[in-house]
Amino acid sequence: MAELNLVNVTKVYDKDVLAVDKFNLEIRDKEFLVLVGPSGCGKSTALRMIAGLEEITSGELYINGKLMNDVAPKDRDIAMVFQNYALYPHMDVFNNMAFGLKLRKFKKDEIKRRVDNAAQILGLEGFLDRKPKALSGGQRQRVALGRAIVRDAQVFLMDEPLSNLDAKLRVQMRAEIQKLHQRLQTTTIYVTHDQTEAMTMATRLVVMRDGVIQQVGEPKEVYDYPNNMFVGGFIGSPAMNFLNGRIEENNFVMNGVKLRIPEGKLKPLREQGYVGKEVVMGVRPEDIHDEPVFIDSSPETKFEAVIEVAELMGAETILYSTIGDQEFVARVDSRTDVTGGEKITLAFDLNKAHFFDKDTEMRIK
Amino acid sequence: MIGKLKNIFPSLRFYAPDKDIYDDKYQWFLTDEQEIIGIANDELSTKELSLLKTFLTPYNIKFPPPNPNEKKWIEMIKDEKIHYPIPGHYRFVYFSLRYSDIDPIPFKEAIQELFPKDVPIIWENEYEGVMIEIQENDQEPVTYEQIIDVLMSDLYGKIYFYVGPFQDNVDHVRDYYFSMIKGAKTALQYSTKSVMTYTESVPFLLIDQLDADVKTNIAEFILQDFMNDKETLKMIETFVECNLNISETAKELYMHRNSLQYRLDRFQKKTGIDIRQFHEAMTVYLAVIAHKK
């Protein structure tokens, strides 16, 4: 059982390098919270402040209501899993998992009980006498998880634990960590720069940039309703398309292209005085359609485009093209037989588009 | 000497690793022969303690006592005329546990488990020291970026490593030792990285030698209007660290490569310096370091 509360937590290095700025967040018991953002956004620093590996410059960290700022890392009842799943090379799997407990002077039978339990959870029972070099990458990462599980801690902190694995193994381990969380129900804070990992694993996401929280929410909520252009662009792959244009009456107009804005989307633009002004329209690649049925039913958002590149991904095809001299990417069904250089008709689903203020980059809502 | 001291202080005894861990009833000292002796606190007046400190080195019992191998290295470092044979290449690795709550004994236990053979550790004080990694035959050198994570997850604390270059002989071991300690302390002022090699730190060591005025001049003349533009300074550092590779830097900074190109062009337009050229990039990088302190 662990609830964490971060109040105005700030980290400043060398007096003037602001790594994390006024981080406010309540982390619920049993939650799988993912901190996501590009390199240098402060996500690992935030995690390390929770772990006690970085001092908190200002603000407060509470675990279960108890102020933790000055509590030593070893007394915070946390377990950590890092990016490098390096293990002690000369110890077998059992001793690798047991070592942290031995250092903390746990009794032998308690160590054995905990290691056996973790090995059973992770399917490592048959590997306990093996040395790390006799294990695959995935098995080593499981041992690294086992080293955290044996602590029986109330919070797991994971800092990019899968980023050193190859793509296939990463997908597999992603599912294993989720299963582990479902089974143990330990409050988990997970850091990643990989938005796919964040989307698929999180109960809630925290998107960060330059040390500042940009948005907190459930993955679907963040994907469907990004607070700003950064979140819209960072979450989702291929990234959201951003098209510059102007609101004229009921339309979004760019370089010779006029798209009719649905009433529901137009209302906030009108109410907040954006008619006649420059805005940025954000459209997800999957909200640009090539199906004739959709195009026929959306005559006011259809347009013609010359496809520069068509990438067949298997179930889908990614199309690269331009509209009004601005580049965009569309994700269509791979049954579409399009090749580079071909001119085709597409249509935007503007019910799912977003409009952003050009200066503040905030979503107009 | 020990016998005479024993007559004055009957409680005097030698350190017993299995019994004396964290025993604070004794005052501990390290003799010139690298032996650890303890005298009961209640047998020592303040005056006697001060007197003993003039010819014995006070010793923190939380330190693991030096083993015979460590004693040899300490002797070589203390006296450059003493040379013992070493079984292969060696390198000094400075470590600091300064901002953590890690005790030396578990730290040593964990370090020993990472290497196939004994790793001598020389403690400077209770939070920093130098470990000696000896590489024999074709043995792969340890990657400290990897082991730091496993150590931190077991020891619950922040650790810094400053990794020296491999050496073949012990002729200049004393100089090597002290330059590592000095270099580590300098480098740690300029970087927050947990692991840094001596090679990586050379630009920091060079810049640190300069007078404050010279540093200011370099930063001002080279960086000009970008002196306080943190985003551009970060971009320059990342660009150099990514081997002037635009795609890699753009990815690292989560920026479109065209935006990065634009920023590099803008820097060139305003300063006349093209960071895409190695020698110019190096100059700008040094200016960024000079600006840091």
Side-chain angles (χ1 to χ4, degrees):
Chain A
M1 290 283 286
E3 286 174 0
L4 291 87
N5 198 0
L6 292 99
V7 183
N8 285 325
V9 169
T10 299
K11 177 72 189 176
V12 181
Y13 289 110
D14 296 337
K15 292 181 188 158
D16 65 346
V17 181
L18 186 61
V20 175
D21 190 17
K22 295 188 189 79
F23 193 101
N24 284 294
L25 188 66
E26 278 180 33
I27 302 166
R28 300 163 196 151
D29 184 34
K30 299 176 186 171
E31 187 164 29
F32 196 108
L33 185 98
V34 177
L35 304 182
V36 64
S39 170
C41 72
K43 56 191 187 299
S44 286
T45 307
L47 189 84
R48 282 165 184 254
M49 284 193 284
I50 296 170
L53 296 176
E54 294 286 354
E55 205 182 323
I56 295 171
T57 309
S58 64
E60 291 106 49
L61 163 71
Y62 298 91
I63 299 181
N64 287 335
K66 192 182 161 199
L67 185 64
M68 285 284 151
N69 290 43
D70 297 322
V71 175
K74 65 178 190 298
D75 300 324
R76 293 188 184 193
D77 200 6
I78 48 170
M80 294 175 273
V81 182
F82 292 105
Q83 180 173 351
N84 291 305
Y85 47 92
L87 302 169
Y88 295 97
H90 312 291
M91 283 184 190
D92 58 25
V93 168
F94 182 94
N95 283 301
N96 259 291
M97 290 206 270
F99 191 63
L101 302 177
K102 281 182 188 167
L103 286 177
R104 304 188 90 180
K105 312 286 177 213
F106 275 70
K107 288 185 177 160
K108 273 187 181 170
D109 52 351
E110 177 63 9
I111 292 175
K112 187 173 182 327
R113 188 188 67 76
R114 290 194 184 194
V115 173
D116 286 344
N117 181 44
Q120 189 257 325
I121 290 170
L122 294 162
L124 288 168
E125 300 106 310
F127 301 91
L128 288 173
D129 57 353
R130 287 206 193 167
K131 294 272 176 70
K133 67 179 177 192
L135 301 175
S136 67
Q139 285 165 337
R140 278 185 225 172
Q141 184 56 281
R142 266 188 262 158
V143 178
L145 288 172
R147 284 163 43 77
I149 292 171
V150 295
R151 307 282 168 83
D152 207 6
Q154 56 177 348
V155 184
F156 281 158
L157 303 178
M158 302 192 184
D159 191 357
E160 307 245 14
L162 305 183
S163 59
N164 280 5
L165 301 177
D166 65 49
K168 198 173 171 188
L169 200 51
R170 206 155 56 224
V171 174
Q172 191 188 326
M173 283 305 295
R174 216 157 68 190
E176 289 203 25
I177 290 178
Q178 282 173 287
K179 275 191 240 163
L180 190 67
H181 178 251
Q182 280 161 15
R183 180 167 176 171
L184 301 175
Q185 297 277 295
T186 306
T187 308
T188 303
I189 305 166
Y190 186 104
V191 160
T192 181
H193 67 278
D194 181 335
Q195 58 85 30
T196 312
E197 219 167 273
M199 287 288 289
T200 52
M201 297 176 86
T203 319
R204 274 193 310 157
L205 282 180
V206 178
V207 186
M208 292 183 70
R209 181 197 197 185
D210 295 338
V212 178
I213 293 180
Q214 303 292 307
Q215 189 165 0
V216 182
E218 290 175 14
K220 189 160 167 50
E221 179 191 344
V222 174
Y223 187 80
D224 288 342
Y225 302 101
N227 272 353
N228 56 36
M229 285 174 64
F230 173 78
V231 176
F234 190 78
I235 300 293
S237 179
M240 178 180 272
N241 296 293
F242 294 112
L243 301 165
N244 294 307
R246 175 187 286 274
I247 306 295
E248 286 179 8
E249 294 178 357
N250 298 336
N251 302 304
F252 177 74
V253 181
M254 24 170 198
N255 243 3
V257 183
K258 196 187 256 188
L259 304 167
R260 176 69 187 259
I261 305 169
E263 193 50 39
K265 294 280 171 187
L266 196 57
K267 199 174 165 216
L269 292 168
R270 267 204 213 108
E271 285 173 356
Q272 293 173 52
Y274 283 96
V275 176
K277 288 189 179 166
E278 299 277 331
V279 295
V280 178
M281 182 173 78
V283 186
R284 295 264 177 221
E286 62 271 28
D287 296 325
I288 302 173
H289 295 261
D290 70 336
E291 314 94 86
V293 178
F294 186 90
I295 292 167
D296 291 346
S297 63
S298 314
E300 291 166 316
T301 65
K302 73 175 184 183
F303 61 100
E304 293 204 319
V306 177
I307 303 304
E308 287 160 14
V309 178
E311 287 179 348
L312 177 66
M313 308 295 285
E316 63 200 21
T317 297
I318 309 295
L319 307 176
Y320 296 82
S321 183
T322 55
I323 177 171
D325 293 334
Q326 299 184 68
E327 290 178 359
F328 72 89
V329 177
R331 187 208 306 259
V332 298
D333 195 298
S334 64
R335 277 169 290 194
T336 305
D337 196 15
V338 187
T339 51
E342 203 174 320
K343 192 175 187 179
I344 63 168
T345 303
L346 295 164
F348 288 108
D349 182 355
L350 287 198
N351 282 308
K352 292 187 179 164
H354 302 288
F355 293 92
F356 298 92
D357 183 285
K358 204 169 179 189
D359 298 323
T360 65
E361 299 193 349
M362 298 301 287
R363 182 164 63 87
I364 302 162
K365 47 191 171 185
Chain B
M1 180 187 74
I2 299 292
K4 283 179 187 169
L5 279 174
K6 176 93 179 157
N7 288 336
I8 303 166
F9 304 106
S11 67
L12 184 147
R13 62 185 176 86
F14 288 98
Y15 174 74
D18 48 340
K19 283 186 197 162
D20 291 323
I21 292 174
Y22 307 134
D23 187 344
D24 54 4
K25 289 177 190 143
Y26 279 73
Q27 182 69 48
W28 298 93
F29 300 95
L30 188 67
T31 68
D32 283 348
E33 290 72 37
Q34 304 295 319
E35 287 168 326
I36 299 161
I37 57 166
I39 299 171
N41 284 327
D42 54 15
E43 252 185 29
L44 283 169
S45 67
T46 317
K47 231 178 190 178
E48 286 164 335
L49 183 62
S50 303
L51 189 65
L52 286 170
K53 281 181 182 173
T54 60
F55 61 95
L56 294 171
T57 311
Y59 187 82
N60 186 335
I61 201 66
K62 282 189 175 180
F63 286 165
N67 62 29
N69 200 10
E70 287 166 341
K71 285 178 186 172
K72 281 183 187 172
W73 282 97
I74 293 169
E75 280 179 50
M76 286 199 281
I77 288 160
K78 273 191 167 177
D79 185 347
E80 55 196 4
K81 288 175 196 143
I82 298 174
H83 290 167
Y84 289 107
I86 47 164
H89 305 300
Y90 74 98
R91 64 178 168 184
F92 285 158
V93 180
Y94 165 91
F95 61 85
S96 170
L97 318 173
R98 187 175 207 137
Y99 302 105
S100 64
D101 193 28
I102 300 173
D103 285 331
I105 289 175
F107 176 77
K108 183 169 182 176
E109 273 179 61
I111 287 290
Q112 298 300 340
E113 295 297 344
L114 290 162
F115 295 89
K117 288 194 176 167
D118 174 53
V119 178
I121 296 181
I122 300 167
W123 292 87
E124 275 289 297
N125 51 49
E126 58 193 275
Y127 56 79
E128 65 182 343
V130 170
M131 46 197 252
I132 301 149
E133 183 192 343
I134 295 170
Q135 192 192 29
E136 294 180 49
N137 306 322
D138 294 334
Q139 183 194 318
E140 286 271 312
V142 163
T143 310
Y144 286 86
E145 283 83 358
Q146 287 192 355
I147 67 168
I148 201 160
D149 282 353
V150 76
L151 288 173
M152 289 203 297
S153 63
D154 277 334
L155 299 168
Y156 286 89
K158 196 170 178 179
I159 303 168
Y160 289 108
F161 284 124
Y162 180 67
V163 185
F166 276 106
Q167 301 288 302
D168 286 327
N169 62 60
V170 289
D171 294 349
H172 304 290
V173 69
R174 185 183 159 81
D175 286 347
Y176 180 26
Y177 181 83
F178 288 108
S179 62
M180 283 301 291
I181 291 179
K182 197 176 164 201
K185 288 181 179 174
T186 305
L188 288 176
Q189 290 175 39
Y190 287 90
S191 171
T192 53
K193 282 171 81 174
S194 303
V195 178
M196 188 183 292
T197 64
Y198 176 77
T199 316
E200 285 172 318
S201 76
V202 167
F204 303 133
L205 304 184
L206 288 174
I207 290 293
D208 199 63
Q209 297 289 317
L210 303 177
D211 289 340
D213 289 353
V214 181
K215 283 188 218 175
T216 309
N217 285 347
I218 292 176
E220 281 178 1
F221 294 150
I222 302 295
L223 301 175
Q224 301 177 23
D225 291 350
F226 296 95
M227 280 264 286
N228 298 314
D229 181 345
K230 286 178 187 167
E231 221 168 295
T232 301
L233 300 184
K234 187 180 167 192
M235 175 196 77
I236 293 165
E237 273 193 282
T238 313
F239 189 50
V240 173
E241 283 160 10
C242 291
N243 300 316
L244 312 188
N245 182 320
I246 289 180
S247 302
E248 205 178 311
T249 309
K251 198 174 157 194
E252 190 71 21
L253 294 172
Y254 184 67
M255 190 186 271
H256 194 278
R257 49 172 289 138
N258 292 348
S259 307
L260 180 63
Q261 298 266 24
Y262 167 75
R263 288 188 190 193
L264 295 173
D265 289 343
R266 193 179 56 154
F267 188 84
Q268 186 178 7
K269 205 172 166 187
K270 287 202 171 183
T271 63
I273 301 171
D274 183 4
I275 323 177
R276 295 175 189 86
Q277 305 301 320
F278 170 75
H279 59 285
E280 300 202 6
M282 198 60 212
T283 303
V284 177
Y285 183 60
L286 290 174
V288 172
I289 297 170
H291 182 51
K292 278 189 176 179
K293 291 278 170 189

Coordinates of all heavy atoms in Angstrom, one line a residue, chain B residues 147-190:
Chain B
I147 N 27.7 -1.2 -14.3 CA 27.7 -1.7 -12.9 C 27.2 -0.6 -11.9 O 26.7 -1.0 -10.8 CB 29.1 -2.2 -12.5 CG1 30.1 -1.1 -12.4 CG2 29.5 -3.3 -13.4 CD1 31.4 -1.5 -11.7
I148 N 27.2 0.6 -12.3 CA 26.7 1.7 -11.3 C 25.3 1.5 -11.0 O 24.8 1.7 -9.8 CB 27.0 3.1 -11.9 CG1 27.0 4.0 -10.7 CG2 26.0 3.5 -13.0 CD1 27.7 5.3 -11.0
D149 N 24.5 1.0 -12.0 CA 23.1 0.8 -11.7 C 22.8 -0.4 -10.7 O 22.0 -0.3 -9.8 CB 22.3 0.5 -13.0 CG 22.1 1.8 -13.8 OD1 22.4 2.9 -13.3 OD2 21.6 1.7 -14.9
V150 N 23.6 -1.4 -10.9 CA 23.4 -2.6 -10.1 C 23.8 -2.3 -8.6 O 23.2 -2.6 -7.6 CB 24.1 -3.9 -10.6 CG1 25.6 -3.9 -10.5 CG2 23.5 -5.1 -10.0
L151 N 24.9 -1.5 -8.5 CA 25.4 -1.1 -7.2 C 24.3 -0.1 -6.5 O 24.0 -0.3 -5.3 CB 26.7 -0.3 -7.3 CG 27.9 -1.2 -7.7 CD1 29.1 -0.3 -7.9 CD2 28.2 -2.2 -6.5
M152 N 23.8 0.8 -7.3 CA 22.9 1.8 -6.7 C 21.6 1.1 -6.3 O 21.0 1.5 -5.3 CB 22.6 2.9 -7.6 CG 23.8 3.8 -7.8 SD 23.5 5.5 -8.3 CE 22.8 5.2 -9.9
S153 N 21.2 0.1 -7.0 CA 19.9 -0.6 -6.6 C 20.1 -1.5 -5.4 O 19.2 -1.7 -4.6 CB 19.3 -1.4 -7.8 OG 20.2 -2.4 -8.1
D154 N 21.3 -1.9 -5.1 CA 21.6 -2.7 -3.9 C 22.0 -1.9 -2.7 O 21.6 -2.2 -1.6 CB 22.7 -3.7 -4.2 CG 22.2 -5.0 -4.8 OD1 21.0 -5.3 -4.7 OD2 23.0 -5.7 -5.5
L155 N 22.7 -0.8 -3.0 CA 23.2 0.0 -1.9 C 22.4 1.2 -1.6 O 22.6 1.9 -0.6 CB 24.7 0.4 -2.2 CG 25.6 -0.8 -2.4 CD1 26.9 -0.3 -3.0 CD2 25.9 -1.4 -1.1
Y156 N 21.4 1.5 -2.4 CA 20.5 2.6 -2.2 C 21.3 4.0 -2.0 O 21.2 4.6 -0.9 CB 19.6 2.4 -1.0 CG 18.5 1.4 -1.2 CD1 18.7 0.1 -1.0 CD2 17.3 1.8 -1.6 CE1 17.7 -0.9 -1.2 CE2 16.3 0.9 -1.8 CZ 16.5 -0.4 -1.6 OH 15.5 -1.3 -1.8
G157 N 22.0 4.4 -3.0 CA 22.7 5.6 -2.8 C 23.3 6.0 -4.1 O 23.5 5.2 -5.0
K158 N 23.7 7.3 -4.2 CA 24.3 7.8 -5.4 C 25.8 7.6 -5.4 O 26.4 7.8 -4.4 CB 24.0 9.3 -5.5 CG 24.2 9.9 -6.8 CD 23.6 11.3 -6.8 CE 23.8 11.9 -8.2 NZ 23.3 13.3 -8.2
I159 N 26.3 7.1 -6.5 CA 27.7 6.8 -6.5 C 28.3 7.5 -7.8 O 27.6 7.6 -8.8 CB 28.0 5.3 -6.7 CG1 27.3 4.5 -5.5 CG2 29.4 4.9 -6.8 CD1 27.2 3.0 -5.7
Y160 N 29.5 8.1 -7.7 CA 30.2 8.6 -8.8 C 31.5 7.8 -9.1 O 32.1 7.4 -8.1 CB 30.7 10.0 -8.5 CG 29.6 11.1 -8.5 CD1 29.2 11.6 -7.3 CD2 29.0 11.5 -9.6 CE1 28.2 12.6 -7.2 CE2 28.0 12.5 -9.6 CZ 27.6 13.0 -8.4 OH 26.6 14.0 -8.3
F161 N 31.7 7.5 -10.3 CA 33.0 6.9 -10.7 C 33.8 7.8 -11.7 O 33.1 8.4 -12.6 CB 32.8 5.6 -11.4 CG 32.3 4.4 -10.5 CD1 31.2 3.7 -10.7 CD2 33.1 4.0 -9.4 CE1 30.8 2.7 -9.9 CE2 32.8 3.0 -8.6 CZ 31.6 2.3 -8.9
Y162 N 35.0 7.9 -11.5 CA 35.9 8.6 -12.4 C 37.0 7.6 -12.8 O 37.8 7.2 -11.9 CB 36.5 9.8 -11.7 CG 37.4 10.7 -12.5 CD1 37.0 11.4 -13.6 CD2 38.8 10.8 -12.2 CE1 37.8 12.2 -14.3 CE2 39.6 11.6 -12.9 CZ 39.2 12.3 -13.9 OH 40.0 13.1 -14.7
V163 N 37.0 7.2 -14.0 CA 37.7 6.0 -14.4 C 39.0 6.5 -15.1 O 39.0 7.1 -16.2 CB 36.9 5.2 -15.4 CG1 37.6 3.9 -15.8 CG2 35.5 4.9 -14.8
G164 N 40.1 6.0 -14.6 CA 41.4 6.4 -15.1 C 41.8 5.5 -16.3 O 41.2 4.5 -16.5
P165 N 42.9 5.9 -17.0 CA 43.4 5.1 -18.1 C 44.2 3.9 -17.5 O 44.8 4.0 -16.4 CB 44.3 6.1 -18.9 CG 44.7 7.1 -17.9 CD 43.6 7.2 -16.8
F166 N 44.3 2.9 -18.3 CA 45.1 1.7 -17.9 C 46.6 2.0 -17.9 O 47.0 2.8 -18.8 CB 44.8 0.5 -18.8 CG 43.6 -0.3 -18.4 CD1 42.4 -0.2 -19.1 CD2 43.6 -1.1 -17.3 CE1 41.3 -0.9 -18.7 CE2 42.5 -1.8 -16.9 CZ 41.3 -1.7 -17.6
Q167 N 47.3 1.5 -17.0 CA 48.8 1.7 -16.9 C 49.5 0.3 -16.9 O 48.9 -0.6 -16.4 CB 49.1 2.4 -15.6 CG 48.4 3.8 -15.4 CD 49.0 4.8 -16.4 OE1 50.2 5.1 -16.4 NE2 48.2 5.4 -17.2
D168 N 50.7 0.3 -17.4 CA 51.4 -0.9 -17.5 C 52.4 -1.1 -16.3 O 52.8 -2.2 -16.0 CB 52.2 -1.0 -18.8 CG 51.3 -1.3 -20.0 OD1 50.3 -2.0 -19.8 OD2 51.6 -0.8 -21.1
N169 N 52.9 0.0 -15.8 CA 53.8 -0.2 -14.7 C 53.5 0.8 -13.6 O 52.6 1.7 -13.7 CB 55.3 0.0 -15.2 CG 55.5 1.4 -15.7 OD1 55.3 2.4 -15.0 ND2 55.8 1.5 -17.0
V170 N 54.2 0.6 -12.4 CA 53.9 1.4 -11.2 C 54.9 2.5 -11.0 O 55.0 3.0 -9.9 CB 53.7 0.5 -10.0 CG1 52.5 -0.4 -10.1 CG2 55.0 -0.4 -9.8
D171 N 55.7 2.8 -12.0 CA 56.7 3.8 -11.8 C 56.2 5.2 -11.3 O 56.8 5.8 -10.5 CB 57.5 4.1 -13.2 CG 58.2 2.9 -13.6 OD1 58.4 1.9 -12.8 OD2 58.7 2.8 -14.8
H172 N 55.0 5.6 -11.8 CA 54.5 6.9 -11.4 C 53.2 6.7 -10.7 O 52.3 7.5 -10.8 CB 54.3 7.7 -12.7 CG 55.6 7.9 -13.5 ND1 56.6 8.6 -13.0 CD2 56.0 7.4 -14.7 CE1 57.6 8.6 -13.9 NE2 57.2 7.8 -14.9
V173 N 53.1 5.7 -9.9 CA 51.8 5.3 -9.3 C 51.3 6.5 -8.3 O 50.1 6.7 -8.3 CB 51.9 4.0 -8.6 CG1 52.8 4.0 -7.4 CG2 50.5 3.5 -8.2
R174 N 52.3 7.1 -7.7 CA 51.9 8.1 -6.7 C 51.3 9.3 -7.5 O 50.2 9.8 -7.1 CB 53.2 8.6 -6.0 CG 52.9 9.6 -4.9 CD 54.3 10.0 -4.3 NE 54.1 11.2 -3.6 CZ 53.6 11.4 -2.4 NH1 53.2 10.3 -1.7 NH2 53.5 12.6 -1.8
D175 N 52.0 9.7 -8.6 CA 51.4 10.9 -9.3 C 50.1 10.5 -9.9 O 49.1 11.3 -9.9 CB 52.4 11.2 -10.5 CG 53.6 11.9 -10.1 OD1 53.6 12.3 -8.9 OD2 54.6 11.9 -10.8
Y176 N 50.0 9.3 -10.4 CA 48.7 8.8 -11.0 C 47.6 8.9 -10.0 O 46.5 9.4 -10.3 CB 48.9 7.4 -11.6 CG 47.7 6.7 -12.3 CD1 46.7 7.5 -12.9 CD2 47.6 5.4 -12.3 CE1 45.7 6.9 -13.5 CE2 46.6 4.7 -12.9 CZ 45.6 5.5 -13.5 OH 44.5 4.9 -14.1
Y177 N 47.9 8.4 -8.8 CA 46.9 8.4 -7.8 C 46.3 9.8 -7.4 O 45.1 10.0 -7.5 CB 47.5 7.7 -6.5 CG 46.5 7.6 -5.3 CD1 45.6 6.5 -5.3 CD2 46.5 8.6 -4.3 CE1 44.7 6.4 -4.2 CE2 45.6 8.5 -3.3 CZ 44.7 7.4 -3.2 OH 43.8 7.3 -2.2
F178 N 47.3 10.7 -7.2 CA 46.8 12.0 -6.8 C 46.2 12.8 -7.9 O 45.3 13.6 -7.7 CB 48.0 12.8 -6.1 CG 48.3 12.2 -4.7 CD1 49.4 11.5 -4.5 CD2 47.4 12.3 -3.7 CE1 49.7 10.9 -3.2 CE2 47.6 11.8 -2.4 CZ 48.7 11.1 -2.2
S179 N 46.7 12.5 -9.2 CA 46.1 13.3 -10.3 C 44.7 12.7 -10.5 O 43.8 13.5 -10.9 CB 46.9 13.1 -11.5 OG 47.0 11.8 -11.9
M180 N 44.4 11.5 -10.2 CA 43.1 10.9 -10.3 C 42.1 11.6 -9.3 O 41.0 12.0 -9.7 CB 43.1 9.4 -10.1 CG 43.6 8.6 -11.3 SD 42.6 8.9 -12.7 CE 41.1 8.2 -12.3
I181 N 42.6 11.8 -8.1 CA 41.7 12.4 -7.1 C 41.4 13.8 -7.4 O 40.3 14.3 -7.4 CB 42.4 12.2 -5.7 CG1 42.3 10.8 -5.3 CG2 41.6 13.1 -4.6 CD1 43.0 10.4 -4.0
K182 N 42.5 14.5 -7.8 CA 42.3 15.9 -8.2 C 41.4 16.1 -9.4 O 40.5 16.9 -9.5 CB 43.7 16.5 -8.5 CG 43.7 18.0 -8.5 CD 45.1 18.6 -8.6 CE 45.0 20.0 -9.0 NZ 46.2 20.5 -9.7
G183 N 41.7 15.2 -10.4 CA 40.9 15.2 -11.7 C 39.5 15.0 -11.4 O 38.6 15.6 -12.0
A184 N 39.2 14.0 -10.6 CA 37.8 13.6 -10.3 C 37.0 14.8 -9.7 O 35.9 15.1 -10.1 CB 37.8 12.4 -9.4
K185 N 37.7 15.5 -8.7 CA 37.0 16.6 -8.0 C 36.8 17.7 -9.0 O 35.7 18.4 -8.9 CB 37.9 17.0 -6.8 CG 37.8 15.9 -5.7 CD 38.5 16.3 -4.5 CE 38.3 15.1 -3.5 NZ 39.1 15.3 -2.3
T186 N 37.7 17.9 -9.9 CA 37.5 19.0 -10.9 C 36.4 18.6 -11.8 O 35.5 19.4 -12.1 CB 38.8 19.2 -11.7 OG1 39.9 19.5 -10.8 CG2 38.7 20.4 -12.7
A187 N 36.4 17.4 -12.4 CA 35.5 17.0 -13.4 C 34.0 17.0 -12.8 O 33.1 17.4 -13.5 CB 35.8 15.6 -13.9
L188 N 33.9 16.6 -11.6 CA 32.6 16.6 -11.0 C 32.0 17.9 -10.8 O 30.7 18.1 -10.7 CB 32.6 15.9 -9.6 CG 32.9 14.3 -9.6 CD1 33.0 13.8 -8.3 CD2 31.8 13.6 -10.4
Q189 N 32.8 19.0 -10.8 CA 32.2 20.3 -10.8 C 31.6 20.7 -12.1 O 30.8 21.6 -12.1 CB 33.3 21.3 -10.5 CG 33.9 21.3 -9.1 CD 35.1 22.2 -9.0 OE1 35.1 23.3 -9.5 NE2 36.1 21.8 -8.3
Y190 N 32.0 20.1 -13.2 CA 31.5 20.5 -14.5 C 30.4 19.6 -15.0 O 29.8 19.9 -16.0 CB 32.7 20.5 -15.5 CG 33.6 21.6 -15.3 CD1 34.7 21.5 -14.4 CD2 33.4 22.9 -15.9 CE1 35.6 22.5 -14.3 CE2 34.3 23.9 -15.7 CZ 35.4 23.7 -14.9 OH 36.3 24.8 -14.7

